[in-house]
Amino acid sequence: MTPRLTVKEAALAARKHEQTVRRALEDGRLHGTQQVTGGRWTVRADCLEAWCDGVPCEHQASKVTDLRARRSTAS
């Protein structure tokens, strides 16, 4: 099982500001999960590494639909 990082831990590991990591999570550039909407984000270490390398992680690459696109058409 891949370790899960908090936003703070992910920011330290990536040498980025916490807000940069949070924005990337919120807009889908960085793959992460929340237990409930508006809850704390957790990020898998392999997803963070892929984001730092500028490539989609295996979870993003296998997505069938883009949730951001669905949200914008629903409005």
Side-chain angles (χ1 to χ4, degrees), residues 8 25 30 54 70:
K8 185 175 187 170
L25 286 163
L30 172 58
R70 260 197 313 188

Side-chain angles (χ1 to χ4, degrees), residues 54-69:
V55 296
C57 70
E58 63 185 46
H59 306 98
Q60 288 174 315
S62 66
K63 275 185 168 177
V64 176
T65 58
D66 185 350
L67 294 177
R68 291 170 296 183

Side-chain angles (χ1 to χ4, degrees), residues 11-43:
L12 286 170
R15 300 185 70 180
K16 304 280 186 191
H17 194 278
E18 286 181 43
Q19 198 60 17
T20 302
V21 173
R22 192 175 314 282
R23 282 189 197 118
L25 286 163
E26 289 171 354
D27 68 20
R29 289 178 288 135
L30 172 58
H31 182 260
T33 56
Q34 290 176 305
Q35 292 294 324
V36 295
T37 303
R40 292 183 186 183
W41 285 100
T42 57
V43 180

